[in-house]
Amino acid sequence: MRKNLPGPFTFILPTSSQLPKIYKNKKEVGIRVPDNTIIRELVRVLGNPILSTSIDDTDDIEYMTDPELIEEKYQHQVDIVIDGGYGETIPSTIVDCTTDDFEIIRQGKGELIY
């Protein structure tokens, strides 16, 4: 993981008792450390990881990438929208690390370095 993070990867790992209670009934959790200075600085300042999800909007693919359209659509559902410029539509590569043999579940932008 050290060779691939930060980067366009989501690693699926087994949960542990050290995680917050919200994960108590979960067997696995996805960890992502994006190569994005805005989100990494927010994590550093807050001193905690951020729980988030991607925008999956079946109405229009632009909502996933255009900050102005995202704010227009979600401004009444979120506390803040940070304009970091246009995003990408290529998803992260998802790697299942819950067994000894890592498995790429979804090939996305990242090419895994072993």
Side-chain angles (χ1 to χ4, degrees):
M1 286 176 39
R2 288 182 188 170
K3 293 180 182 180
N4 295 284
L5 294 176
F9 296 94
T10 300
F11 291 96
I12 307 297
L13 302 167
T15 59
S16 77
S17 59
Q18 295 177 330
L19 290 172
K21 291 180 184 179
I22 192 171
Y23 297 102
K24 183 179 180 182
N25 294 323
K26 305 285 183 186
K27 293 181 181 179
E28 51 196 37
V29 62
I31 304 295
R32 177 138 160 59
V33 182
D35 190 13
N36 178 291
T37 54
I38 295 171
I39 192 67
R40 291 174 60 209
E41 182 64 10
L42 281 171
V43 168
R44 187 191 70 74
V45 169
L46 294 172
N48 289 298
I50 294 175
L51 178 64
S52 71
T53 186
S54 300
I55 296 176
D56 183 16
D57 190 328
T58 55
D59 293 342
D60 192 339
I61 194 75
E62 284 185 283
Y63 283 120
M64 296 173 56
T65 62
D66 185 330
E68 290 181 16
L69 295 177
I70 291 169
E71 180 178 21
E72 182 181 307
K73 181 163 185 174
Y74 295 102
Q75 65 185 331
H76 300 294
Q77 298 174 37
V78 298
D79 294 324
I80 188 172
V81 174
I82 298 172
D83 184 345
Y86 280 82
E88 295 184 0
T89 57
I90 303 169
S92 64
T93 296
I94 300 176
V95 183
D96 184 348
C97 302
T98 59
T99 65
D100 290 339
D101 298 322
F102 291 178
E103 178 185 357
I104 295 177
I105 296 174
R106 177 181 73 196
Q107 182 62 56
K109 184 175 179 182
E111 292 293 329
L112 196 61
I113 300 171
Y114 292 92

